[in-house]
Amino acid sequence: MVRLLGYARYVFGGLLVVTIALLVWQHFGMEKVVELAGNHYPVKLEDDRSEGGASQGRLERKGQDLVIHCHIVKKASWPYCKLDFDFLKGAKGVDMSRFENIVIEAHYEGPGVPKFGLAVSEVEDGFTRLDQWQTYKIEQVESLGLPSSGRVLVPLDWFSVAQWWKDMAKPPVEHAAVNLDNIVYANLAFNFGGVEGEHVFTIHSLRLHGKLINRADLLMGLVALWVLCTVGWLAILTLSLRTQLQESKAAIALLREVNKALELEARDLAGQAHIDPLTGVLNRQGLRAALMSTSSLLSEPMAVIFIDIDHFKSINDTHGHGVGDDVLRKFANVIASGIRSSDRLVRWGGEEFLIVCPMTNVYQGRILADNLRHALHQHAWPADLRVTASFGVAQHHQQDEVGVVIKHADEALYRAKQTGRDRVCAHNPEDVIAAAAA
């Protein structure tokens, strides 16, 4: 792993060189060109005679050049000649969405102005029907001119959906935006400023220009490559650090007896040994330590409340131990929030809990237990369960050991479970309880 980390600088250096090279190549090269004119697709020339005009057009081929002879006559309101390209093969046309520009190289001779418009017809999935021309989406660029260089560059983001087509076809909103991924027809419409006479427009080439990989895809791929290398490097680094950490822990274990920092850690771990790891309350060892270190816990009177969650085994059997653990944690929180700061809550084992209540007689302990029992009814429980508990209460007497009062509370708990659960039973007879109340 150390050797692999040493190679990382070379990997990232090589990746940086590749990234710069690809970005430079994408910017200055990586050209993708598709020729639309010449003999690649069927073409035909139309004029305005089909709409009552008198202009006449004629198409001539000279090698790869398309020569348009258009005699403009001002009879129609908008005299024109139009060159149509047919890209349709089956149900698919040309995907222009992967390109950036259309480049036209042409030459004009005549008395007018070499103005023309470019329109394309898009097949829109779910909207266009091949046998209904009005369902084709018309996207166009108007008023293009031919500069003296004879080269026109038309960015594809200049195209917009023709408003007249929107008004006629009334497409739904999701089909009203520009989409160039399936172009089946294109046309160049020439008006030459409406100037009458003979106009000759020669198209040397009509090409789509783009990149083999567009900038967005290239950047996404490079980012993914960098992320992959970085994640791999971090994984190797993590494994290396983990190995070093394990070796360090082994060395620390040999010095545990004389290292002060580890002695503090050991004392902290000793404190944790008194805490139940699932519920965060005291365990039996914690109760023993508390009774030995806190004399006020045994101050008379002192009550002990023994608690058992009703039907807890069925919760584990029906919903699994994960839900059972959640119930135990929630149960401990509810009980802990309902007792005093001077009381001690202990997880006795499994679903059994114990509360040691100093300065509390059995009557007061019974009231506390009943309040806790009602509190359980008010809370929402995991898996929409209804969780109840049975309570046994006993009072410690000076002549008895703590184990005796715990046994008495356990016996009272047993009576509560035998008489129907979700109730509180006290060890003392009713006349003793009444005397304590008085």
Side-chain angles (χ1 to χ4, degrees):
M1 291 184 185
V2 174
R3 185 179 302 172
L4 288 175
L5 289 174
Y7 291 150
R9 69 182 69 180
Y10 302 108
V11 173
F12 282 105
L15 186 57
L16 180 61
V17 171
V18 170
T19 299
I20 295 173
L22 286 175
L23 291 175
V24 171
W25 183 33
Q26 201 277 341
H27 183 76
F28 293 103
M30 207 182 284
E31 288 289 329
K32 180 181 181 182
V33 180
V34 173
E35 178 65 57
L36 301 177
N39 297 318
H40 299 281
Y41 297 98
V43 295
K44 66 178 180 178
L45 187 66
E46 299 179 5
D47 52 43
D48 60 16
R49 286 179 292 176
S50 61
E51 299 179 11
S55 301
Q56 295 186 24
R58 178 171 59 88
L59 178 63
E60 178 185 1
R61 290 183 179 272
K62 290 184 177 181
Q64 295 295 315
D65 292 348
L66 298 175
V67 183
I68 301 157
H69 299 270
C70 184
H71 186 81
I72 295 293
V73 178
K74 287 187 177 180
K75 183 178 179 181
S77 58
W78 198 83
Y80 69 89
C81 291
K82 184 172 65 172
L83 184 64
D84 294 322
F85 294 83
D86 186 352
F87 305 136
L88 184 62
K89 292 182 179 180
K92 296 295 294 183
V94 175
D95 183 1
M96 295 186 180
S97 63
R98 305 290 296 179
F99 296 88
E100 298 176 358
N101 306 297
I102 294 179
V103 176
I104 303 171
E105 293 184 357
H107 175 71
Y108 169 74
E109 293 179 2
V113 180
K115 291 284 187 180
F116 60 94
L118 175 59
V120 297
S121 300
E122 160 77 16
V123 172
E124 189 83 6
D125 290 340
F127 179 74
T128 301
R129 296 182 57 180
L130 297 180
D131 59 342
Q132 296 182 5
W133 68 268
Q134 63 269 32
T135 61
Y136 288 84
K137 183 190 295 183
I138 307 301
E139 299 158 332
Q140 64 185 18
V141 180
E142 298 179 338
S143 301
L144 295 171
L146 183 66
S148 58
S149 64
R151 187 175 188 271
V152 182
L153 187 146
V154 183
L156 292 183
D157 56 11
W158 283 9
F159 279 87
S160 61
V161 179
Q163 186 60 46
W164 62 264
W165 178 82
K166 291 182 181 180
D167 296 338
M168 178 190 68
K170 295 182 173 54
V173 175
E174 62 271 19
H175 296 290
V178 172
N179 186 12
L180 299 171
D181 62 359
N182 194 6
I183 302 300
V184 294
Y185 301 111
N187 65 71
L188 293 170
F190 306 94
N191 176 260
F192 305 110
V195 177
E196 291 188 327
E198 186 72 17
H199 304 268
V200 180
F201 196 93
T202 303
I203 298 177
H204 302 302
S205 68
L206 177 65
R207 299 189 302 268
L208 289 168
H209 282 252
K211 301 291 185 180
L212 292 174
I213 305 174
N214 63 43
R215 181 174 292 272
D217 289 344
L218 179 61
L219 290 176
M220 185 176 297
L222 289 173
V223 168
L225 187 59
W226 275 97
V227 169
L228 182 63
C229 290
T230 303
V231 170
W233 178 77
L234 289 176
I236 294 173
L237 180 61
T238 301
L239 291 175
S240 176
L241 291 176
R242 181 177 296 177
T243 302
Q244 295 178 22
L245 182 61
Q246 290 173 349
E247 293 173 353
S248 298
K249 285 184 177 179
I252 291 173
L254 297 175
L255 302 174
R256 189 181 302 273
E257 296 297 329
V258 295
N259 191 302
K260 182 177 180 180
L262 292 180
E263 288 178 353
L264 295 175
E265 180 182 353
R267 283 198 291 269
D268 183 56
L269 290 174
Q272 293 181 12
H274 296 159
I275 301 297
D276 175 57
L278 177 64
T279 60
V281 301
L282 294 175
N283 56 21
R284 294 196 185 193
Q285 283 186 315
L287 175 61
R288 186 179 298 109
L291 291 173
M292 293 176 62
S293 61
T294 309
S295 58
S296 59
L297 284 177
L298 296 174
S299 299
E300 294 294 335
M302 185 266 278
V304 170
I305 303 174
F306 219 132
I307 314 170
D308 184 86
I309 301 176
D310 296 331
H311 306 294
F312 183 77
K313 183 178 184 300
S314 66
I315 294 176
N316 278 336
D317 294 342
T318 304
H319 300 278
H321 289 277
V323 173
D325 289 347
D326 291 340
V327 169
L328 288 172
R329 281 189 287 265
K330 180 67 178 291
F331 184 87
N333 289 337
V334 173
I335 298 300
S337 63
I339 62 177
R340 302 168 300 182
S341 60
S342 58
D343 300 337
R344 293 293 184 272
L345 175 61
V346 182
R347 184 183 179 191
W348 196 249
E351 68 273 23
E352 294 181 333
F353 291 79
L354 194 75
I355 307 174
V356 177
C357 306
M359 301 304 296
T360 304
N361 58 36
V362 68
Y363 178 76
Q364 295 166 331
R366 183 166 187 167
I367 294 175
L368 173 60
D370 204 52
N371 290 339
L372 294 175
R373 185 180 67 85
H374 284 291
L376 296 175
H377 297 173
Q378 308 302 317
H379 284 78
W381 296 89
D384 293 326
L385 292 169
R386 182 179 182 272
V387 176
T388 62
S390 302
F391 296 75
V393 185
Q395 181 175 333
H396 176 256
H397 298 285
Q398 190 172 7
Q399 67 275 13
D400 295 332
E401 295 180 354
V402 174
V404 174
V405 69
I406 293 177
K407 179 182 177 183
H408 290 165
D410 186 38
E411 293 170 351
L413 171 63
Y414 180 78
R415 282 194 290 112
K417 292 166 66 175
Q418 289 297 312
T419 54
R421 293 186 171 86
D422 190 20
R423 62 190 60 214
V424 179
C425 288
H427 173 69
N428 287 11
E430 290 296 328
D431 57 338
V432 176
I433 296 174

